[in-house]
Amino acid sequence: MRTIGVIPARFESSRFPGKPLADILGRPMIWWVYQQCLKVEELDRVIVATDDPRIGEACGGYGMDWLMTSKDCA
């Protein structure tokens, strides 16, 4: 059995819109989260699930696995 870690990354947060793309030491916050998840030995794969193409572009630019979800996805 494979174990996949999914990182939810919404752009339209009520408290901090665009948070996954916030710059932290020259990289977007989502990059740092993804890198930490890669360290979890029990995970076979890590994927960012986003509802915004800007986050998808950032993930793709850094070679991170990602997929587009509906804005209605809970």
Side-chain angles (χ1 to χ4, degrees):
M1 176 165 51
R2 295 183 63 201
T3 305
I4 299 173
V6 179
I7 304 167
R10 291 181 51 245
F11 191 87
E12 296 297 330
S13 169
S14 60
R15 292 181 291 171
F16 188 172
K19 181 179 176 180
L21 298 180
D23 185 278
I24 300 174
L25 300 173
R27 301 204 188 241
M29 186 202 74
I30 193 65
W31 183 86
W32 295 98
V33 174
Y34 189 88
Q35 296 306 309
Q36 291 302 306
C37 290
L38 290 177
K39 294 178 182 179
V40 178
E41 293 179 8
E42 293 81 8
L43 295 178
D44 297 304
R45 184 175 177 195
V46 177
I47 301 171
V48 175
T50 186
D51 63 350
D52 192 281
R54 293 171 284 192
I55 296 172
E57 273 185 42
C59 290
Y62 285 101
M64 300 172 0
D65 286 340
W66 66 280
L67 59 88
M68 186 66 70
T69 63
S70 166
K71 290 195 183 289
D72 298 325
C73 185

